[in-house]
Amino acid sequence: MRTVAVIATGGTIASNAAATGGPVNAGVAAYVLLDSLHERPEGIDLKVEDFEVKGSYALDLPTVHRLCGRIDALLADPTIDGIVVTHGTDTMEETAYLADLIVKSDKPVIFTGAQRHAGMPDTDGPRNIADAIRCAVSPDLIGQGAAILFEGEIHAAREVTKTHTSRVDTFRSAGLGKIGEVDAGNVYVYRRRAFREVLSVDHIDEGVEMLLLGLGTSPALLDYCQTLRRSGVVLAAFGRGNAPQGFAVSIQRLTEAGIPVVIASRCAEGRVLPVYGKDSGGRTLIDAGGIFCGSLQPVKARLLLSVLLADGVDIPTIREAFQKHI
Ligand code: ASP
C-alpha cells in the first residue's frame, strides 16, 4: 500500500456560495473534499490535513513558506510517498514554484485545484484531486520537482501559468508544453527536467516588488521602491527585456544602493536577452546593473529573488544564481 498526504489550503476547490449569486468563499474541509471523489484511486492510503482555508489571492509569503516546511516534514516520513496540495488557482503556480525551489525531498509534490467551485454540479475538483493523487505516487515524477495537475495535464511548476480566468483547462506551459498527463487513471510522463537545485532558507524576503511596464510608463514607481527601501524589484519589461526611457538611470541608482533590479519579459514565451542599446534598451539596462532572468516569468523571478535575498547574498551572487536557474 502506498500513502499520499493531502494538504488542503482553500481555493475554489474548497469553496461554496452560501446563497445563489452570493459571494463564493472557501470553507470546505479536507476530508469533505476527499469524500467527494467519484472514485478513490485504488491501493493508495490517504492522510489528510487542513492547512489553511483561504482563497489563494489572500495567501502571503510567510504562510506559503510554512506550507513548504510542512511538506518537507511530511515527506521526511518514509511511509509517505508523495504530497497533494489543494490550492486556489490564482497563485497556485507561485506556491508550486516556491515548493520547487525550497522543498528538499525528491518525492512528488503535486498541486491541484478547481475552476468551478465545490457547490457546482460540474465542479472539476474531484477528478483533479483523484488524478493528482495518482501523480503523487508515480515513480516517474520522483526528482521532477513540484508540478501542477489540472484537467488531466501535468505541468512543471517552473514553467506553468494560469492563462484563462475561468476555463477548466487554464494551466499552460507556454512554448514548452505539459510534462505529462493522466489518462483513464494512468500517469504518463513525457519529459524530465534537466536541472534542479534546492535552496535552503529559514524565511522568505517579503520586500520584493514587481512592476508591469507599459508604453511610456515612467520610472517613478521604481524610484519610489528605493525611497521605501524595498529589498528588490522585478520589472515585467518589453519583449527581449527593454524598458521605456529613463529606466536605465533608475536601475543604476537602485543597484548602487544595493537593491537588485531583475528584468523579466511581459511576453508569455521566450527569453530576455540584452540586445538593444540607447535609453533604455536591454543592453543599456544590463550595463546599468539590471539582472536578466532568461525564460523565468516575472512572478517566478520575484520568488527566486525573494528566496535569494532571504539568504542575505549580495548582487553579484544573485546575478550568478539567476544564471543557473533561468
Ligand atoms: N479563482 C481562484 C481559484 O480558482 C480563487 C483562489 O485562487 O483561491 O481557486
Side-chain angles (χ1 to χ4, degrees), residues 11-13 54-57 87-91 114-115 162:
T12 296
I13 193 166
K54 274 189 179 158
S56 70
Y57 47 84
H87 194 289
T89 54
D90 288 357
T91 62
Q115 287 277 67
K162 181 175 179 177

